[in-house]
């Protein structure tokens, strides 16, 4: 079965600074990878996804992520954060054999002025 | 138009009661899901339905019973509510079983007193 680890529970970043959130997965084959964002009191919104092809994927709100097979990682980045990026971020992995998404424990991002 | 909607948004009830949460999607998707998000924000899949057929049934107490009257609706009925059932419940949908891109509803915060 697949699993996801988000090593950082909480990250604080200054507005305008860059942001990188780490995600490591465990799965024997090529996984389907996702990043979701959850603003306070809201549902989850899909930021971006990787299925195959170009390992650098662009998403909404200026986010991008890079799939690195050798490191089993799918880290999320944003060059310059805005106060509205304060939220909970979830990495998720889907495997082709069980029709499920497995989510990481999430990383809380706080943006300071 | 809301893609995935849930009612109610908040639900406060006493132990031992029976309650239902409703979910509807207008995306034309075939597959729908229920997730539970605990107080530590960990997301765990509970059920999935594909074209009204139960596909995933995780280790959930049988007090929880999903019902899908048609492929646009997936309701969750909970009998004999317990304190530990307090959580946020999310409904989600995807195009099909093997398309892992899921769209989430806004969540229902259930509080059992």
């Amino acid at each position: 079965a697949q699993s996801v680890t988000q090593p950082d529970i909480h990250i604080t970043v200054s507005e305008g600074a860059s942001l990188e959130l780490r995600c490591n997965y465990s799965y024997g084959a090529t996984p389907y990878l996702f990043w979701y964002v959850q603003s306070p009191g809201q549902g989850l919104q899909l930021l971006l996804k990787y299925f195959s092809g170009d390992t650098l994927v662009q998403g909404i709100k200026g986010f991008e992520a890079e799939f690195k097979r050798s490191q089993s990682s799918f880290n999320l980045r944003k060059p310059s954060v805005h106060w509205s990026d304060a939220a909970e971020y979830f990495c998720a992995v889907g495997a082709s054999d069980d029709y499920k998404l497995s989510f990481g424990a999430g990383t809380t991002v706080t943006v300071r002025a | 138009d809301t893609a995935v909607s849930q009612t109610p948004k908040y639900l406060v009830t006493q132990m031992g009661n029976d309650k239902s949460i409703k979910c509807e999607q207008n995306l034309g998707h075939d597959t729908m899901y229920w997730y539970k998000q605990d107080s530590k924000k960990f997301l765990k899949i509970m059920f999935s339905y594909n074209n009204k057929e139960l596909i995933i049934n995780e280790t959930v107490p049988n007090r929880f019973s999903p019902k899908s009257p048609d492929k646009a609706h997936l309701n969750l009925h909970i009998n004999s509510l317990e304190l530990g059932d307090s959580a946020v419940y999310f409904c989600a949908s995807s195009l099909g079983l093997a398309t892992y891109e899921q769209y989430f509803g806004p969540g229902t915060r259930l509080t059992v007193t």
Side-chain angles (χ1 to χ4, degrees):
Chain A
Q2 68 275 26
S3 65
V4 181
T5 302
Q6 294 181 243
D8 304 303
I9 296 173
H10 192 182
I11 286 180
T12 299
V13 60
S14 297
E15 192 169 15
S18 64
L19 174 69
E20 181 166 12
L21 303 182
R22 296 183 291 164
C23 172
N24 294 99
Y25 68 89
S26 173
Y27 181 58
T30 300
Y32 305 109
L33 295 161
F34 304 85
W35 275 100
Y36 285 85
V37 60
Q38 183 181 22
S39 297
Q42 303 295 314
L44 279 75
Q45 182 182 21
L46 180 65
L47 282 176
L48 46 75
K49 62 193 179 206
Y50 173 79
F51 290 167
S52 63
D54 192 346
T55 56
L56 184 63
V57 293
Q58 303 296 321
I60 62 171
K61 303 182 186 229
F63 285 93
E64 66 177 27
E66 186 171 12
F67 170 59
K68 292 186 177 180
R69 184 188 303 276
S70 61
Q71 298 176 20
S72 297
S73 69
F74 188 56
N75 294 348
L76 181 71
R77 297 192 292 256
K78 184 167 184 177
S80 175
V81 299
H82 185 261
W83 63 267
S84 59
D85 293 322
E88 191 80 19
Y89 291 80
F90 293 95
C91 182
V93 59
S96 58
D97 54 357
D98 67 3
Y99 306 125
K100 288 193 290 193
L101 276 186
S102 294
F103 285 83
T107 298
T108 303
V109 172
T110 298
V111 180
R112 59 181 174 222
Chain B
D1 284 343
T2 303
V4 182
S5 59
Q6 294 178 230
T7 53
K9 188 165 176 62
Y10 299 97
L11 187 52
V12 182
T13 188
Q14 292 184 327
M15 286 175 55
N17 284 349
D18 303 339
K19 291 293 179 186
S20 292
I21 306 172
K22 295 186 176 184
C23 177
E24 177 182 1
Q25 55 94 3
N26 63 5
L27 297 167
H29 288 171
D30 284 346
T31 310
M32 296 184 72
Y33 310 81
W34 278 112
Y35 286 87
K36 180 180 181 180
Q37 186 176 47
D38 62 24
S39 59
K40 295 185 177 178
K41 301 205 173 175
F42 184 69
L43 271 163
K44 183 78 165 64
I45 189 165
M46 301 173 70
F47 303 102
S48 77
Y49 270 75
N50 186 62
N51 274 325
K52 303 194 298 175
E53 178 186 354
L54 180 65
I55 301 298
I56 294 173
N57 185 353
E58 292 292 283
T59 49
V60 175
N62 57 16
R63 299 182 293 103
F64 290 78
S65 53
K67 283 193 171 48
S68 182
D70 55 61
K71 70 176 191 177
H73 295 84
L74 180 61
N75 303 324
L76 183 65
H77 187 76
I78 316 170
N79 290 326
S80 302
L81 278 155
E82 300 177 357
L83 292 177
D85 298 331
S86 295
V88 181
Y89 293 84
F90 286 102
C91 177
S93 72
S94 65
L95 195 60
L97 266 182
T99 52
Y100 296 82
E101 185 174 337
Q102 295 181 15
Y103 294 83
F104 283 77
T108 295
R109 181 174 294 278
L110 171 65
T111 303
V112 183
T113 61

